[in-house]
């Protein structure tokens, strides 16, 4: 495993973050090499790094950036059978009470 991947996996295993001065010890590499890798990971948008001095020494708290998976879009509320709501993208002058397209679509909802 490449060292950069190893460092990234270590960071990703600590959702609440890991201190940089713990990271290089855990990864068994020297601090300057760790710093270069962390800087690259930060530039690549894979981690965040903020200063931390909670344990008396200045270091960085490194956290993984968790990318949210895109949810599949659910168009079910806009559809009946295979028909989209006629209002989707409609640019007609709208008077819903008199709209034949809407009435037909609602009728399809009722017969399902
Ligand atoms: S009600 Fe009729 S006119 Fe109004 S947006 Fe829907 S389809 Fe278009």
């Amino acid at each position: 495993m490449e060292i950069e991947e190893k460092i990234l996996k270590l960071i990703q295993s600590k959702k609440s973050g890991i201190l940089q001065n713990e990271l290089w010890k855990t990864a068994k590499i020297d601090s300057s090499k760790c710093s270069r890798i962390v800087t690259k990971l930060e530039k690549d948008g894979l981690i965040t790094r903020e200063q931390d001095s909670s344990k008396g020494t200045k270091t960085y708290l490194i956290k993984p950036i968790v990318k949210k998976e895109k949810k599949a879009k659910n168009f079910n509320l806009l559809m009946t059978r295979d028909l989209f709501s006629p209002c989707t993208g409609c640019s007609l002058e709208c008077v819903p009470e008199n709209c034949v397209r809407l009435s037909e679509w609602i009728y399809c909802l009722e017969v399902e």
Side-chain angles (χ1 to χ4, degrees):
M1 180 188 300
E2 209 173 295
I3 190 65
E4 192 178 311
E5 275 181 48
K6 182 180 174 183
I7 296 288
L8 181 59
K9 285 200 171 138
L10 266 171
I11 295 167
Q12 289 172 333
S13 71
K14 310 276 184 182
K15 302 288 182 219
S16 57
I18 184 169
L19 296 174
Q20 188 166 328
N21 62 0
E22 293 172 4
L23 179 63
W24 63 266
K25 291 173 192 165
T26 306
K28 295 183 175 98
I29 59 172
D30 65 72
S31 61
S32 57
K33 185 172 187 175
C34 184
S35 181
R36 281 194 302 275
I37 292 170
V38 165
T39 300
K40 184 180 181 312
L41 293 173
E42 187 178 24
K43 279 184 186 166
D44 291 347
L46 299 170
I47 61 163
T48 61
R49 183 164 60 159
E50 56 193 59
Q51 280 201 326
D52 183 285
S53 55
S54 58
K55 291 187 178 173
T57 50
K58 268 191 166 179
T59 186
Y60 291 96
L61 178 63
I62 302 165
K63 292 182 182 176
I65 292 178
V66 181
K67 293 187 177 165
K68 292 180 183 169
E69 287 186 28
K70 286 185 179 178
K71 285 185 181 174
K73 292 185 178 159
N74 183 348
F75 294 110
N76 288 346
L77 294 174
L78 295 173
M79 295 185 78
T80 177
R81 294 190 192 141
D82 293 337
L83 297 173
F84 255 104
S85 157
C87 303
T88 307
C90 178
S91 58
L92 300 174
E93 260 190 50
C94 186
V95 184
E97 298 85 1
N98 302 329
C99 180
V100 174
R101 296 169 67 191
L102 182 61
S103 297
E104 288 173 351
W105 188 76
I106 290 171
Y107 176 76
C108 287
L109 285 175
E110 290 175 349
V111 291
E112 278 197 340

